[in-house]
Amino acid sequence: MPPSPSPLDAAPLFFLIGETAVGKTALALEVAERAGAEIVSLDAMLVYRGMDVGTAKPTAADRARVAHHALDLVDPPVSYDAPAYLADAGRALAAIHARGRRALFVGGTAFYLRALVHGLFAGPDPDPALRAALVARARAEGGAALHAELAAVDPRAAARIHPHDEKRLVRALEVLAQTGRPISAWQREWGWDGGEAAGRPRTIVGIFRDPRTLEARIRGRTRAMLERGWVEEARAIRDGVGFGPTSIQALGYREVLALADGAASQAETEERIVRRTRQLARRQRTAFRSFAGTRWVDLDAPDAAGRALAALGW
C-alpha cells in the first residue's frame, strides 16, 4: 500500500539543490530573505549536534537571518535515517505553513530529495541476524566487495549506492535475501523510482558553477575548515559521546581523525579530503541529473538569486 498521508502531501515542495561547496548556503539565505521563506535542511549530516565545522553547517548568524529546520536533531551516536528525516521534515513544513511562510528545502542529499518527492519504499522488517551477518561481511571484506555483489544482481540499485555507503548496501542485499527480488524492482513498483510524472508536486532548482571554480572552492573551503578547528571538533566527539555508524560516514571525519592521531600529515589530509569532496560532487551531479524538470541556475551569472527566485516561481 502507498505511504500514509503526510504534511509533505499538503502543497507543492520547493527545492534548491547543488553540489557540495558550490555555494548553496549563501544563495539560499538571499533567496529566503527576499521571498519571506524559511529553510529546511536537505542534508543527511547536518542533523548531528556538534558536527558543525566539518559539515559546513549554517552558522548562528545565518540562522539569525533566516529560520532553519532539520538541524541539530540528534547526537552523533544515533543512527538517523530517511524515515526519521521525513517525519521531522513533515513537522517542520506543517509549522512553517501554519505561520503563513514559504518553505525552501536546501541541500545536496539526493536520497532525501528522492524520498521527499516519491516517498519511501518501506520494505520488509529488518532481520537482525541477517543484517548482523551482512554488516560483519562489510567490515571484513570491505564495502567494495558487497557493492560488486549487489551490482551483479541489481545494477540499478548499485549505480545509486556508493561502495562506502554500508547502511544502504546492507539494506539492498537484505531485501534481496528476504524477498528474492532486487530492491530497485520494489522501488519502481512503489513509485519511488518514477520519473517526472511520478511523485509529489515540486519545483526543483539546481545551481552550478564552472568546474574550475568549484575545484578552487573545494580546496579553499577544505583549508578554511581545517583552520577553524575541524580536527579538534572530530577529536572532541570521538573522545566524548562518540560517533555512530552513520555520522562517521560524514565526509572528511575519518581523515581528520587520522591527522589527529598523527597517522597523516596536514598536507596529506587536505589532499585526501579534497579528492573525496570532488568525488562526492561528481556523484551528486549524476544523481541530480536524474530529476527531470530541474531548472538550472548558473551561480556565477548576474543576480543569481533573482534567477533562482524566478525559477522557483516566487
Side-chain angles (χ1 to χ4, degrees):
M1 60 186 299
S4 301
S6 158
L8 299 167
D9 299 321
L13 305 178
F14 295 89
F15 299 93
L16 185 67
I17 61 172
E19 303 146 297
T20 185
V22 74
K24 294 183 294 296
T25 298
L27 181 69
L29 286 169
E30 186 175 353
V31 167
E33 283 183 321
R34 289 169 63 171
E38 299 182 22
I39 292 173
V40 184
S41 171
L42 187 66
D43 189 297
M45 295 302 166
L46 296 190
V47 302
Y48 288 107
R49 301 185 190 105
M51 295 175 61
D52 302 333
V53 177
T55 62
K57 190 178 292 178
T59 65
D62 295 334
R63 296 186 227 186
R65 286 176 60 187
V66 174
H68 283 67
H69 306 270
L71 303 177
D72 299 327
L73 300 176
V74 295
D75 290 324
V78 176
S79 292
Y80 191 86
D81 58 15
Y85 173 78
L86 290 182
D88 286 324
R91 283 189 287 269
L93 188 66
I96 292 168
H97 286 170
R99 289 190 288 274
R101 305 273 287 176
R102 289 168 165 160
L104 179 62
F105 288 85
V106 180
T109 300
F111 183 65
Y112 281 7
L113 172 59
R114 194 174 296 278
L116 283 164
V117 170
H118 294 292
L120 279 176
F121 159 66
D125 291 336
D127 180 328
L130 174 59
R131 178 165 292 186
L134 288 167
V135 169
R137 282 190 54 207
R139 305 284 167 82
E141 302 172 28
L146 266 66
H147 191 268
E149 181 177 322
L150 180 64
V153 294
D154 192 356
R156 182 183 288 267
R160 287 197 298 261
I161 302 174
H162 190 268
H164 293 159
D165 193 342
E166 178 185 287
K167 184 175 180 179
R168 293 178 66 200
L169 277 174
V170 165
R171 182 56 175 160
L173 291 171
E174 181 183 48
V175 169
L176 177 65
Q178 287 177 294
T179 69
R181 293 182 66 197
I183 193 170
S184 64
W186 285 110
Q187 289 166 340
R188 284 197 302 276
E189 187 173 297
W190 189 264
W192 187 89
D193 199 34
E196 174 64 12
R200 298 180 174 107
R202 74 279 192 181
T203 298
I204 304 175
V205 175
I207 58 175
F208 68 94
R209 291 185 188 269
D210 179 271
R212 291 167 296 184
T213 304
L214 182 61
E215 171 73 15
R217 288 180 59 86
I218 288 172
R219 288 191 173 276
R221 188 178 79 159
T222 299
R223 187 171 299 115
M225 289 160 67
L226 289 168
E227 291 171 353
R228 285 201 302 270
W230 192 357
V231 176
E232 292 75 15
E233 175 180 278
R235 185 193 291 122
I237 293 170
R238 183 187 62 184
D239 297 344
V241 296
F243 289 93
T246 304
S247 62
I248 193 58
Q249 294 181 38
L251 180 69
Y253 276 84
R254 284 193 173 98
E255 285 77 10
V256 298
L257 286 172
L259 174 60
D261 293 339
S265 69
Q266 177 93 9
E268 289 170 333
T269 300
E270 185 175 319
E271 192 56 40
R272 287 168 183 166
I273 294 172
V274 166
R275 183 171 62 252
R276 285 198 60 204
T277 306
R278 190 187 302 123
Q279 292 167 345
L280 173 60
R282 191 159 49 241
R283 293 197 302 273
Q284 289 173 317
R285 204 157 43 237
T286 299
F288 291 149
R289 289 194 192 113
S290 71
F291 292 91
T294 299
R295 303 166 184 179
W296 292 97
V297 172
D298 184 349
L299 203 49
D300 294 318
D303 190 20
R307 293 168 183 260
L309 283 163
L312 287 164
W314 289 356

